[in-house]
Amino acid sequence: MLSPALVILASLGYLLILFAVAYWADWRGRQGRSVIANPWVYALSMAVYCTAWTYFGSVGRAATGGVWFLPIYLGPTLALVLGWLVVRKMIRIAKAYRITSIADFIASRYGKSPLLAGLVTLIAVVGIVPYIALQLKAVSAGYALLTAQTGGGRQAPVHWSQDSAFYVALVLAGFTMVFGARHLDTTERHEGMVAAIAFESVVKLVAFLSVGLFVVYSLFDGLPDLFAQAQAVPALQKLLRLEQGGQFAWAQWFALMLLSMLSVVFLPRQFQVMVVENVRESHLRRAVWVFPLYLLLINLLVLPIALGGLLYFGSGAAINAENFVLSLPLSAGQHALALFVFIGGLSAATGMVIVETIAVSTMVSNELVLPLLLRWRHLRSGAGQDLSLLLLGIRRGAILGVLVLGYVYFYLAGEAYALVSIGLISFAAVAQFAPVMLGGMYWKGGTWRGALAGLL
C-alpha cells in the first residue's frame, strides 16, 4: 500500500513534466527550430492510439480470451502497412484545403456543408465520451489499488464529491486547456502537445515493458518456465489456443480487425496527430514501420503478464485481471515499480484525453458554435471586433464539458463494463465516418445529402 499523498504528488509531478516538455517544444517552435519536424516524433505521437485500454484492458482481455486481444492491434498494423497511400492522400488534401478536423475534412469533400460538419461533430462527441470514461475508470481503479482503498475498483457508488475519478477529470481538463487552448491557430497545430504525446509514448512503453520483464524474470524463470506452468493448468491451456469452443471464430476476429483498422484513422485523436499535426508528408514513410513496431513491443508481454497473474494469484482468485500490471508488483513488495507502472498508465490515459478533447473541442468550436455566433446580429454588426477571447473561452468550455460527460458516463455505466467493451463502443461509433470519408476522397458522384443520410 502506498500513501495517497505520494501517489498524488507523483502524478502531479509527472503532469508538470509533460507541461515542461510542451512548453519547451512551443518555445523551440517560436524560434524556428521545431521539435515535431522530426519523423520519430511524428511516429511516436501516433502511439496515442495505445491508451489505458492497451495498458490495462489488453491484459484483462488476454486473461479471459488468450490471444484475442491481438485483433485490436493487428488492424492498425495492416492499416498503416497496406493503406498508407490513403493516409498520404488525406494529408495532401488537408494541407491543400487547410483542414482543421475530421468534421472539416468530411464537409470539405461535400461542398463545405455546415449541416454535415455539425452532424459529424455530434457523432464524434457521442463516440468519444465512452472512451474518456474508459480512461477515468482505469486511472481511478489504479489509484484505488495503489492506496488499498477498495482492492482496485469501486465496490459501491460514492457521491461525486468523494470520487477520485471526478477530480482526475477536472485536473485533466485543466491540463488540456493549458496544452491545447492557450491561443488560436488557423492551422490548429499544437507543437507542444505533439512533443508531450511523443514523450508520454516512450514513458508508457518503458513502464509496460518493465512490469512485463519483472513478471517473466522475477516472478518466474523466463518465458519457457511461465508457458510450461501455464500448459500444466487445464484452465490456462485454452488461453494459448486460437479456437474458442472447438472452432475459430473468424467472423468475430475479422470484425474486430476491421473496427480497429478504421479507428486508427477515423478516431478524432488519430486524425489530429496523423493528418492535422503532420509537418512533412515524408514523415509518413518512417511512421509506416515505426508505429507497427511500437504496437508489437507494447503487446509483446501482454499474454505473459496475464498468464503470470493467473498463475500467481490462482485462476479462481477474486482479483480483477485488468489490474494485474499493478497488483503483481504490489503483491511482490515492489512498490516503486508499481508506482512507475501507475504513472505509465496515467500517461496512457492523459495522452488520449488531451488529444481527443483538443480535437473534439476544435470541432465543437468551429462547426457548431462559430456558425451560430456568425448568425447573431449583434456580432455581425460589430465588424472588425476581436472574437479570439470568446472563441478561446468556448473551446475551453467544450473541453470541460466533454470531460464532465465522460465522468458522467463512467459514474453511471463504467462499472458495468470491462475496459475492452467500453472501447469497442467508441470504435463502432467512429467507424460510421469511413464510408462518407473514403467515398468523398475517391468517388466524385457522392453528394452531401447522401453523406448526411448515410451518417444518420
Side-chain angles (χ1 to χ4, degrees), residues 58-67 69 215-216 219-220 223-241 300-315 321 324 328:
S58 290
V59 175
R61 175 81 164 180
T64 56
V67 296
F69 71 95
V215 171
V216 172
L219 298 184
F220 298 88
L223 286 174
D225 173 53
L226 176 59
F227 282 106
Q229 290 193 40
Q231 284 282 10
V233 181
L236 301 186
Q237 286 182 3
K238 63 181 181 179
L239 299 181
L240 302 175
R241 297 194 297 265
L300 205 56
L301 298 174
V302 167
L303 189 57
I305 293 173
L307 293 174
L310 293 173
L311 288 168
Y312 189 85
F313 295 114
S315 56
F324 277 171
L328 283 169

Side-chain angles (χ1 to χ4, degrees), residues 112-452:
K112 282 285 185 181
S113 167
L115 186 60
L116 189 59
L119 179 60
V120 171
T121 301
L122 290 176
I123 293 174
V125 171
V126 172
I128 64 101
V129 162
Y131 220 140
I132 290 175
L134 184 158
Q135 314 308 311
L136 298 177
K137 175 183 169 73
V139 173
S140 175
Y143 174 79
L145 183 62
L146 279 184
T147 56
Q149 291 179 354
T150 62
R154 297 185 307 172
Q155 301 300 314
V158 296
H159 192 266
W160 61 267
S161 62
Q162 299 175 329
D163 194 349
S164 61
F166 176 72
Y167 296 102
V168 170
L170 292 183
V171 171
L172 289 180
F175 270 82
T176 305
M177 291 176 193
V178 172
F179 273 116
R182 280 182 291 172
H183 51 76
L184 292 176
D185 186 350
T186 55
T187 64
E188 297 299 349
R189 282 220 184 100
H190 307 85
E191 295 237 354
M193 179 201 73
V194 174
I197 296 307
F199 175 78
E200 66 91 15
S201 295
V202 175
V203 171
K204 67 189 177 189
L205 177 61
V206 173
F208 196 83
L209 289 177
S210 297
V211 71
L213 293 173
F214 166 76
V215 171
V216 172
Y217 293 104
S218 291
L219 298 184
F220 298 88
D221 294 328
L223 286 174
D225 173 53
L226 176 59
F227 282 106
Q229 290 193 40
Q231 284 282 10
V233 181
L236 301 186
Q237 286 182 3
K238 63 181 181 179
L239 299 181
L240 302 175
R241 297 194 297 265
L242 283 173
E243 298 83 2
Q244 288 187 342
Q247 60 182 1
F248 183 67
W250 289 103
Q252 186 181 356
W253 187 277
F254 175 78
L256 290 173
M257 282 185 60
L258 180 62
L259 276 180
S260 58
M261 284 180 71
L262 297 177
S263 67
V264 80
V265 178
F266 300 117
L267 278 168
R269 71 175 185 276
Q270 295 301 134
F271 185 87
Q272 182 76 27
V273 298
M274 195 182 299
V275 177
V276 178
E277 304 288 351
N278 178 269
V279 176
R280 295 191 186 95
E281 181 187 306
S282 60
H283 291 175
L284 186 61
R285 296 179 182 176
R286 181 75 56 84
V288 163
W289 66 268
V290 172
F291 179 54
L293 178 61
Y294 185 97
L295 293 180
L296 172 65
L297 291 175
I298 204 167
N299 285 286
L300 205 56
L301 298 174
V302 167
L303 189 57
I305 293 173
L307 293 174
L310 293 173
L311 288 168
Y312 189 85
F313 295 114
S315 56
I319 294 180
N320 189 350
E322 291 178 343
N323 294 325
F324 277 171
V325 291
L326 289 174
S327 56
L328 283 169
L330 273 178
S331 62
Q334 299 293 327
H335 291 171
L337 177 60
L339 182 59
F340 178 50
V341 173
F342 173 76
I343 293 300
L346 178 67
S347 185
T350 54
M352 175 271 166
V353 170
I354 288 169
V355 183
E356 201 81 85
T357 50
I358 286 174
V360 171
S361 68
T362 298
M363 286 191 279
V364 170
S365 173
N366 293 352
E367 313 301 345
L368 292 181
V369 179
L370 190 56
L372 293 176
L373 286 178
L374 293 177
R375 292 184 179 184
W376 192 14
R377 186 175 303 173
H378 172 72
L379 290 178
R380 283 189 302 177
S381 62
Q385 62 179 311
D386 186 7
L387 299 178
S388 59
L389 290 178
L390 177 61
L391 291 177
L392 273 177
I394 292 168
R395 189 161 299 181
R396 290 166 181 161
I399 289 170
L400 180 61
V402 167
L403 277 164
V404 169
L405 283 175
Y407 171 75
V408 170
Y409 187 98
F410 159 74
Y411 189 80
L412 296 178
E415 291 299 309
Y417 300 98
L419 297 182
V420 171
S421 301
I422 297 175
L424 286 175
I425 294 172
S426 292
F427 275 25
V430 299
Q432 313 306 314
F433 298 149
V436 293
M437 195 158 176
L438 296 176
M441 289 170 61
Y442 293 101
W443 182 39
K444 294 184 179 180
T447 65
W448 71 270
R449 290 184 178 85
L452 193 68

